[in-house]
Amino acid sequence: MKENMISRGRYGNYGGQYIPETLMNELIHLEESYEFYRKDKDFLKELDTLFKEYAGRPSLLYYAEKMTKDLGGAKIYLKREDLNHTGSHKINNVLGQALLAKKMGKTRLIAETGAGQHGVATATAAALFGMECEIFMGEEDTERQALNVYRMELLGAKVHPVKSGTRTLKDAVNETMREWASRVDDTLYVLGSVMGPHPFPMIVRDFQSVISREARAQILEKEGKLPSAVVACVGGGSNAMGAFYNFIEDKEVRLIGCEAAGKGVDTALTAATIATGSVGIFHGMKSYFCQDEFGQIAPVYSISAGLDYPGIGPEHAYLHDTGRAEYVPVTDDEAVAAFEYMARTEGIICAIESAHAIAHVQKIAGSMDRDDIIIVNISGRGDKDVAAIARYRGRDIHE
Amino acid sequence: MSKIREAFANGKAFIAFLTAGDPTAECTVNYILEIEKAGADLIEIGIPFSDPTAEGVVIQEASLRALKGGMTTEGVFQIVEEVRKKSQVPLALMTYLNPVFHYGYEAFFSRCQSLGVDGIIVPDLPFEEKGEVEEVAARFGVDVVSLIAPTSKERIRLIAKEAKGFIYVVSSMGVTGVRSKITTDIDGMVKEIRAVTDTPCAIGFGISTPEQAAEMAGYADGVIVGSAIVKLIEKNGANAEEELYRYVSSMKAAIK
């Protein structure tokens, strides 16, 4: 596998370690530990066992026959990360990082969460490994996803509602970084996406790359050829990076990331970073961000709490600049319609995040040939979103 | 000798921080002049940033108040311009890298030079990334201040050897803000620094009382106080001159 990382922690011009000195030694320690364990047979075997016996991997690659017929073009396969334990791809990264934390002698995990999927996954791993766990979640998100807050508490985690700034995901990241800077000795910040300072974008990508490793083998077995396109939703970009990674060298495979456009890319109520953002330096990395002309980070909006982030991981920024991957905006309206379409057509209630990818597949599949194949990553299940979708449709249902 | 070194030329230095535009640009100009009169040797002016990840809640809120009031990087330079009409006190800007990146490194440091800004402190620019601005800042004669933290250990010598202006010794883990006690082995850190450089050391994070200031000044060449000053401004709004004068005088007296 060719490495996009051109020099240490850099994807082209992107990435880096723009982080306070207090955390630098800890990041170096994390990088050194990871470099050792990524090649350690016992570590890899333990992780593989966790994936198989605990998370339920490999996840299915399911042929969506009804959807394929309905859209009348490319053959559509769904990579079912929603069937993983805890209901999303987040568990892949969390099991890897928690195992790494254990090897490093850490006893406490902290993490940010948006929709709550990463928080639930981290709380789950902490319970499994017998570690302390504290989750930082924007106050607004704790209201949008109250059930996930209770779920994390059931798993033994302490949930801190973050009241600063816009009270959403970026503020949760700010607060988790502040917490980590105050206590590093026994604590690992289990970052939830392919973002932040090096080595996080690399570590999270590697643990998530199991998605494309499986999907590539599965499609070759089922169809005897590679897909024409891989489609995934992108906030920070971990499920997309995981779904893209092992296809990057296969130049004939289009890689398409679907950003949350919110109310539209021509409005202020959007979270589409590539479509509306510019290059900047924030949260430890150089990448694209939604921000104003002075470099103040913009408040972002999406119906999906998991995509409601003003930045994108540095490797995505690089894949965008080099043209290897395409990034397209998908609005709330389109995502909600796709959420309903999936439920009715395939009997799958997917996460509103994943519905952004489905919406784009609805747009492109029909104009593709019947012997084209699209793999779309269903990053998570949609139970958490049902009440919000009902409210979006004017039914006053609360969890 | 850069202007920053002058700040350490009259005994132990008292370094004061305040956020530009909190509550207004006019107030910031007046407060800087008042703080200088009260004995501050160097003044750090914070360019507000939307997401100050190294700050505690006091400076976070001051930053948001300033941004709501319309403060911009350009607005901060105008504050400096006003101050420079009346004062030659050494000045440093404190901000995060993104506002500097967006202003343009070349434009930013050339503006610093022409207005007489002597240094810049950027908490999210560690040793590994200083290449981002090092060359251009040096070309315009602006010192990029290095921070050393309780976790720096073997990095202390590495950082100190190349430090410019002064070294910001971070007293405690975590973020800025008032602390009742500082437990780090500051003395050990400063000794390690002094083994490789004569660049002055100032201690910041958590210092608010004259007693703490006196103790910390015993270990180093100066102390930095931010949150305690910002709190006084938060409390008194547009009428903070008197309290600022009283507070800064008492702090300077404590470290003399």
Side-chain angles (χ1 to χ4, degrees), chain A residues 276-339:
Chain A
T276 67
S278 57
V279 176
I281 297 159
F282 181 50
H283 279 166
M285 59 182 173
K286 187 178 277 185
S287 190
Y288 285 88
F289 296 96
C290 297
Q291 54 191 335
D292 69 13
E293 59 183 300
F294 307 109
Q296 306 294 343
I297 303 304
V300 287
Y301 163 81
S302 162
I303 187 173
S304 146
L307 304 180
D308 202 356
Y309 180 71
I312 189 168
E315 196 162 5
H316 283 295
Y318 177 74
L319 292 175
H320 166 72
D321 279 14
T322 57
R324 179 62 193 94
E326 311 153 48
Y327 296 85
V328 296
V330 172
T331 64
D332 281 2
D333 280 348
E334 292 168 330
V336 170
F339 179 93

Side-chain angles (χ1 to χ4, degrees), chain A residues 8-141:
Chain A
R8 184 173 163 273
R10 289 280 173 179
Y11 308 88
N13 190 29
Y14 303 111
Q17 288 180 306
Y18 302 89
I19 205 81
E21 170 60 22
T22 303
L23 288 172
M24 275 308 299
N25 252 336
E26 194 56 27
L27 284 178
I28 292 167
H29 178 46
L30 177 63
E31 184 185 359
E32 287 170 353
S33 305
Y34 179 65
E35 288 298 341
F36 175 80
Y37 286 111
R38 76 190 295 192
K39 294 176 210 124
D40 180 63
K41 277 197 189 112
D42 291 339
F43 179 87
L44 295 172
K45 207 177 139 211
E46 251 180 278
L47 182 61
D48 193 53
T49 304
L50 283 166
F51 276 179
K52 282 187 183 136
E53 306 294 329
Y54 189 71
R57 303 209 69 89
S59 68
L60 299 175
L61 185 71
Y62 165 73
Y63 171 44
E65 192 175 357
K66 281 185 71 193
M67 196 175 159
T68 299
K69 285 198 176 129
D70 181 57
L71 297 175
K75 244 179 142 171
I76 297 158
Y77 279 87
L78 311 178
K79 181 63 174 159
R80 299 289 308 275
E81 292 297 304
D82 58 316
L83 297 178
N84 296 340
H85 179 45
T86 73
S88 81
H89 70 290
K90 293 292 187 188
I91 195 76
N92 304 330
N93 166 47
V94 161
L95 287 175
Q97 285 203 50
L99 186 61
L100 184 61
K102 185 181 146 193
K103 301 281 181 193
M104 291 171 74
K106 306 283 185 190
T107 55
R108 180 171 173 262
L109 304 179
I110 57 171
E112 86 292 347
T113 197
Q117 286 171 313
H118 178 58
V120 167
T122 306
T124 299
L128 180 67
F129 286 89
M131 291 175 172
E132 262 183 86
C133 183
E134 293 186 37
I135 303 295
F136 295 81
M137 187 171 186
E139 194 176 42
E140 190 181 315
D141 293 335

Side-chain angles (χ1 to χ4, degrees), chain A residues 372-388:
Chain A
D372 280 327
I373 296 165
I374 298 174
I375 295 178
V376 50
N377 198 37
I378 307 300
S379 56
R381 68 176 179 229
D383 311 43
K384 68 182 178 55
D385 300 309
V386 170

Side-chain angles (χ1 to χ4, degrees), chain A residues 139-261:
Chain A
E139 194 176 42
E140 190 181 315
D141 293 335
T142 62
E143 290 154 14
R144 284 199 278 193
Q145 301 286 350
L147 216 48
N148 267 342
V149 173
Y150 191 68
R151 213 166 260 142
M152 289 183 265
E153 288 167 356
L154 271 179
L155 292 159
K158 186 167 168 29
V159 180
H160 300 275
V162 175
K163 295 179 168 68
S164 59
T166 56
R167 305 186 303 136
T168 59
L169 182 52
K170 89 172 160 76
D171 310 285
V173 174
N174 292 345
E175 215 47 49
T176 319
M177 282 185 176
R178 289 178 185 126
E179 173 61 26
W180 201 28
S182 74
R183 186 170 163 188
V184 292
D185 286 347
D186 63 348
T187 301
L188 179 67
Y189 178 2
V190 179
L191 230 159
S193 194
V194 288
M195 45 154 289
H198 176 69
F200 284 111
M202 170 180 75
I203 291 179
V204 179
R205 176 203 66 200
D206 288 354
F207 290 141
Q208 290 295 359
S209 67
V210 65
I211 299 172
S212 51
R213 194 158 61 242
E214 287 174 4
R216 195 173 185 282
Q218 287 166 324
I219 200 70
L220 286 174
E221 195 194 314
K222 284 175 195 283
E223 294 282 348
K225 63 175 183 180
L226 291 171
S228 310
V230 176
V231 183
C233 64
V234 183
S238 72
N239 93 80
M241 206 58 232
F244 292 173
Y245 190 59
N246 289 286
F247 292 107
I248 289 174
E249 292 290 276
D250 304 316
K251 300 291 181 209
E252 69 274 28
V253 180
R254 284 172 69 192
L255 306 174
I256 306 173
C258 304
E259 298 192 308

Side-chain angles (χ1 to χ4, degrees), chain B residues 76-110:
Chain B
V76 177
F77 282 128
Q78 282 162 16
I79 287 172
V80 173
E81 202 167 5
E82 287 304 307
V83 169
R84 280 288 176 249
K85 286 177 185 164
K86 295 176 181 162
S87 162
Q88 287 310 311
V89 66
L91 291 175
L93 297 179
M94 205 245 68
T95 191
Y96 289 74
L97 194 53
N98 207 38
V100 184
F101 178 76
H102 276 263
Y103 198 89
Y105 295 145
E106 193 81 19
F108 186 93
F109 289 102
S110 115

Side-chain angles (χ1 to χ4, degrees), chain B residues 176-251:
Chain B
T176 57
V178 170
R179 284 168 173 77
S180 55
K181 237 177 147 177
I182 291 166
T183 53
T184 308
D185 175 19
I186 306 282
D187 198 24
M189 284 170 73
V190 174
K191 280 186 178 135
E192 190 78 22
I193 295 169
R194 288 202 168 131
V196 294
T197 181
D198 61 356
T199 302
C201 298
I203 302 169
F205 274 44
I207 301 170
S208 65
T209 66
E211 296 72 35
Q212 284 174 319
E215 188 200 343
M216 291 297 134
Y219 301 130
D221 307 299
V223 297
I224 307 161
V225 174
S227 295
I229 288 172
V230 173
K231 250 188 190 166
L232 282 182
I233 295 172
E234 182 185 348
K235 193 178 111 201
N236 295 288
N239 305 301
E241 276 98 344
E242 231 174 87
E243 279 213 45
L244 283 173
Y245 185 87
R246 208 177 311 140
Y247 176 72
V248 173
S249 315
S250 72
M251 293 295 278

